[in-house]
Amino acid sequence: MMEARLARFFVRRLRRRATSEAVHDAVASGILRVLPEDRADFESGASPRAFAVGPLVAGTSAEEALRMIRRSSAAGRARRSDDNADFFRTTSVKLRNEARRAGEEASQAEAESPRVEHQARALLDAVRASAMPLRAGDVAAALLVAQAAGKSGLPPAEIAAALSMLSPMVTLTAEVEGFEETVLGLLAGGVLAPGRVAVCEGSELSRSGSQRFSRARDPRWHAIVFKASELDDDGDWRERQLGFAAESGYPIVGISERGPVIPEVLRRVAAVHLDCGSLTPDIVMNTMLVVLGSRHDDHLDPEHTAVLALSDLALAIRPGQSPARAFALLGDLGRRRIRAKQETRRAGSAGHATAGGLVKRKTGRGSGSGADVIQPRMPGSTATDRFLPRIETLAGYGEAAEWAMSLKEDLELWRAGELAWSEMSTRILLSGPPGTGKTLFARALCNTLQVPLVATSVATWLEPGYLGDALRRMSATFAEAEAMKPAIVFIDEIDGIGRRERRGEWDQYWTSIVNRGLELLDGAVKTPGVIVVAATNNAQAIDPALLRSGRLEKHVDIPPPGIAALTGILRHHLGDDLETIAASAAE
C-alpha cells in the first residue's frame, strides 16, 4: 500500500535527520573525529561514514565517554535549529582543525588499530542512540502527507514525474492548526523532498526580482512557498505575487492549514495537489507509536482528533510519557478545543453592550480587523447627556470642527440623493501633540453624524506580525465600514505606517504596507459612505503619497488649547457654575 510505504519512508527520514544532527554535535564537541577521506562531505553538511575517536574522549573510560555524549546531546538540543545550522558547521570545522593540529598523524595511526576502531564504532552507536526523539508534530504532519498521497489516486510514477519537472508547482492543504510551519520545517530539513530546501516567502516577493531564501545547511533545492495564513484576501495581489514567483523560475509550493484556501490559480496549475484533511484517530495513534514506541489499546473519538492542533500532539505525546497518559490528555485537549469553538461561535453571534453603544472586538490572527466598532449615541434629557461628546459642544478644534459641521450638512444632502459622494470632503488628517483630543474628535464626530465608528490603529493592523495578516486586517477595517455605510474609519497613530524607503531586509514589508494604505484610501474615495479620520503626533513620518489629493488631503493641526478653548472646555463641564467659580477667585 502506497500510504504505508510512504509513511515508513518519511519516519525513516525523520530519524535519519535526528541522528545526523547528533553526529554533527558530537564532532563539534570533539567526541568524534571525521577522517580525511570524508572531510569534504562533512563540511558540506553530509553525514560522513568514516570516524575516529575524538580528542575529547581519547583515553577516557567508556562510562565517562557516555556522560560526555549525554552532555553534548543535551547542549545540541538546547541550541539546535535550522536557523543556526551555520553555527554548528563553523564550530565543527574549528574544533576538527584544532584536533588535527593537536596530532593528526598520531590519531590516524590509532584509528587504524583494531582496538580504537572498535571504540570509534561503539562511540558512533552511542551518539546515534542519543539523538533527539522525534517530535509528535513532525511525525503527524509527515503521516498526513503520506495519507494524502496514498488517497490522491495518482500512481507513484506519475507523482515522481510531476515532481521531477524543472520548476514543479505543488499544493498541500489540511485542516490542522500548525500544519503550515511544520511542513515548512520538514521541507527545509529534507524530509519531504530528496534533500534540504531553502525557502523564500512568496508574500515578500517584488517585481525587482529579489528573493530572500532561508538559510539551510547545504540546500539541494530552492523553492518559493506561499502560506495561506499570510496571503491577503485581495485576489489581484495574490495573483501578482504568484506571477512574480512564476517569473523567478523556482519551484512553487502552496501550503494551507485552513483547508482549500490556496489561490485558485495555483491549485489549477499545480502538478500535484495533496488534500491532507484533518487529524484522524489512526494518524494520532500511529504518531504515538512512533514517538513513544507503543500505543494505547482504546480508540480516540474522531470528533476530538479532528479539532486537535499539532501543538496539542506535542503537549500530549512526549518522550517518556505513557501511552495511557497521552491518550487521556488527547481526549481532554480535544474536548477543550470543541468547547472553545462553541464559545467562539456564541460570542460571534452576539456582541456585548457598553455605555457607548454596541462594541464588537475582533482579535486573533486572521480573524477580522481587530478594530472596535462603536455605535453612535443620541443625547437625551438627562443631566449627564450634556457630557456626551459631540462636535457641537466641544471647544478648541477650530478648522476641524468647521469641516465636521460642513460634512454633517453634506451627508444629509447625500442621503437625500442631492449630492454626489465624490463632491464631498470626507477624509481628514488630524495632527498634534498627545492629549489634544484627536481620538475624542472621532468619537464626537460619530455622535454628531449619527453613523458607526470603526476605530483602529496602525499598531492594531501590525499586531499579528506576518505581512499577509497585517494586510488582511487593513482590508477588513475598510470592508467593515463599507458594510455599515455611512460609517467612519478612525486610524490612530497613522505615522506608524511609515514611508516607502529602504529599511534593510524589511523594506519590502513596509513598502507593501504603505501600498495597501494607498489602495484602501483610493477605494474609500470611490466607495460612497466611508469617511476617514486619521490621527498622528508626527505628520512628517507619513509617506507623502498618503497626503496627496484624493487621500488624506485635508490636514488640520490641533494645537494645545488656548485661553478661549480652555474657557469653552470648562464651560462644557461646569455649565452655569463657571461664572460662580470665576467670581469667587481672589482679585
Side-chain angles (χ1 to χ4, degrees):
M1 183 179 178
M2 178 182 173
E3 177 184 341
R5 291 200 307 270
L6 197 56
R8 288 193 295 269
F9 175 73
F10 286 153
V11 170
R12 283 198 301 270
R13 278 195 165 177
L14 282 169
R15 289 196 172 114
R16 190 179 304 123
R17 182 178 68 173
T19 56
S20 174
E21 289 172 343
V23 169
H24 275 76
D25 291 343
V27 173
S29 61
I31 293 172
L32 291 174
R33 184 171 60 83
V34 184
L35 293 183
E37 55 265 33
D38 274 358
R39 189 170 299 150
D41 288 341
F42 181 79
E43 290 178 354
S44 68
S47 296
R49 294 179 298 275
F51 292 94
V53 177
L56 189 64
V57 297
T60 63
S61 65
E63 292 77 10
E64 179 61 25
L66 285 174
R67 282 195 291 271
M68 291 179 180
I69 289 171
R70 294 190 188 101
R71 287 197 295 269
S72 172
S73 176
R77 292 173 195 174
R79 296 183 295 177
R80 186 183 299 129
S81 73
D82 287 331
D83 290 338
N84 62 16
D86 286 345
F87 166 80
F88 281 106
R89 290 181 60 188
T90 303
T91 306
S92 302
V93 173
K94 183 187 300 182
L95 289 173
R96 180 174 47 75
N97 289 339
E98 291 176 357
R100 186 173 65 248
R101 285 194 298 270
E104 184 176 11
E105 293 181 0
S107 299
Q108 189 170 354
E110 288 180 353
E112 293 172 354
S113 69
R115 182 182 62 80
V116 177
E117 285 181 2
H118 175 75
Q119 186 183 0
R121 285 195 298 271
L123 277 174
L124 181 60
D125 291 341
V127 166
R128 287 172 172 165
S130 72
M132 187 174 182
L134 301 188
R135 294 188 290 260
D138 289 346
V139 174
L143 295 181
L144 280 167
V145 175
Q147 174 183 267
K151 294 181 178 179
S152 66
L154 296 174
E158 188 173 333
I159 294 178
L163 297 179
S164 64
M165 295 169 55
L166 184 61
S167 300
M169 296 187 183
V170 181
T171 60
L172 302 96
T173 60
E175 292 279 0
V176 185
E177 183 181 323
F179 181 78
E180 292 176 5
E181 289 295 337
T182 303
V183 168
L184 205 59
L186 296 180
L187 281 172
V191 175
L192 300 181
R196 295 178 181 270
V197 181
V199 300
C200 171
E201 298 280 351
S203 59
E204 298 181 3
L205 292 175
S206 64
R207 186 173 295 279
S208 64
S210 61
Q211 298 99 20
R212 289 189 292 269
F213 288 93
S214 62
R215 289 186 297 174
R217 189 170 59 207
D218 189 35
R220 184 175 177 183
W221 312 97
H222 288 72
I224 295 176
V225 175
F226 287 92
K227 292 187 290 186
S229 63
E230 296 184 10
L231 288 177
D232 188 43
D233 294 329
D234 186 338
D236 293 339
W237 179 84
R238 290 200 307 262
E239 294 199 9
R240 183 173 67 246
Q241 297 304 111
L242 284 170
F244 294 159
E247 291 170 359
S248 73
Y250 289 107
I252 299 174
V253 181
I255 314 173
S256 168
E257 62 187 44
R258 298 181 299 175
V261 294
I262 293 287
E264 180 61 27
V265 64
L266 180 54
R267 287 174 60 91
R268 198 174 299 160
V269 301
V272 175
H273 171 67
L274 299 179
D275 184 4
C276 302
S278 304
L279 289 170
T280 65
D282 282 344
I283 286 180
V284 175
M285 296 302 278
N286 285 331
T287 299
M288 190 185 301
L289 178 63
V290 170
V291 177
L292 304 182
S294 59
R295 51 188 290 172
H296 198 263
D297 293 333
D298 211 339
H299 299 284
L300 286 167
D301 188 333
E303 186 180 4
H304 292 166
T305 59
V307 297
L308 289 174
L310 293 182
S311 59
D312 294 330
L313 270 60
L315 288 170
I317 307 175
R318 302 181 66 80
Q321 187 84 274
S322 70
R325 176 63 175 158
F327 181 88
L329 288 172
L330 289 167
D332 183 53
L333 290 169
R335 286 187 289 272
R336 287 173 179 267
R337 289 274 180 182
I338 290 174
R339 284 198 299 271
K341 284 194 171 187
Q342 292 171 344
E343 291 171 2
T344 300
R345 282 196 293 268
R346 285 196 294 270
S349 61
H352 60 275
T354 69
L358 182 68
V359 177
K360 302 175 187 174
R361 183 65 179 168
K362 306 169 184 64
T363 58
R365 277 188 62 182
S367 57
S369 67
D372 287 330
V373 179
I374 303 171
Q375 298 293 343
R377 290 179 60 196
M378 179 70 74
S381 57
T382 63
T384 58
D385 282 336
R386 68 187 180 90
F387 298 114
L388 185 70
R390 291 183 298 141
I391 300 297
E392 297 91 328
T393 60
L394 295 182
Y397 286 101
E399 189 180 352
E402 295 174 6
W403 173 86
M405 297 310 298
S406 176
L407 176 60
K408 180 181 180 181
E409 296 177 2
D410 290 346
L411 192 61
E412 293 174 357
L413 294 174
W414 175 76
R415 282 172 165 151
E418 299 176 9
L419 184 66
W421 189 263
S422 59
E423 299 174 6
M424 300 165 55
S425 177
T426 57
R427 294 164 306 285
I428 188 172
L429 172 67
L430 305 177
S431 64
T436 51
K438 298 183 288 295
T439 302
L440 180 63
F441 178 89
R443 291 181 177 270
L445 185 65
C446 165
N447 293 325
T448 290
L449 301 183
Q450 285 296 292
V451 300
L453 172 67
V454 181
T456 189
S457 66
V458 172
T460 300
W461 286 343
L462 301 179
E463 183 182 13
Y466 291 103
L467 177 61
D469 290 332
L471 297 176
R472 190 177 299 110
R473 280 196 166 191
M474 294 173 72
S475 298
T477 299
F478 282 80
E480 287 173 11
E482 184 179 353
M484 296 180 288
K485 64 184 180 183
I488 304 166
V489 172
F490 174 62
I491 310 168
D492 201 4
E493 305 165 342
I494 196 170
D495 51 286
I497 206 169
R499 292 170 172 259
R500 289 175 298 179
E501 55 191 24
R502 296 194 64 83
R503 305 185 182 199
E505 62 175 324
W506 299 105
D507 63 304
Q508 186 57 42
Y509 182 98
W510 291 107
T511 297
S512 298
I513 294 292
V514 174
N515 287 343
R516 178 50 51 87
L518 295 173
E519 294 171 7
L520 292 171
L521 286 173
D522 283 339
V525 176
K526 300 168 187 173
T527 304
V530 178
I531 301 161
V532 181
V533 178
T536 179
N537 300 332
N538 183 14
Q540 288 71 35
I542 303 174
D543 192 292
L546 291 167
L547 308 178
R548 288 176 189 154
S549 177
R551 291 161 184 158
L552 297 174
E553 57 187 2
K554 182 70 173 176
H555 180 191
V556 178
D557 183 59
I558 308 294
I563 297 297
L566 285 172
T567 302
I569 293 171
L570 291 172
R571 187 177 299 282
H572 172 71
H573 289 280
L574 298 175
D576 295 337
D577 293 336
L578 178 61
E579 280 72 19
T580 303
I581 294 173
S584 67
E587 294 183 1

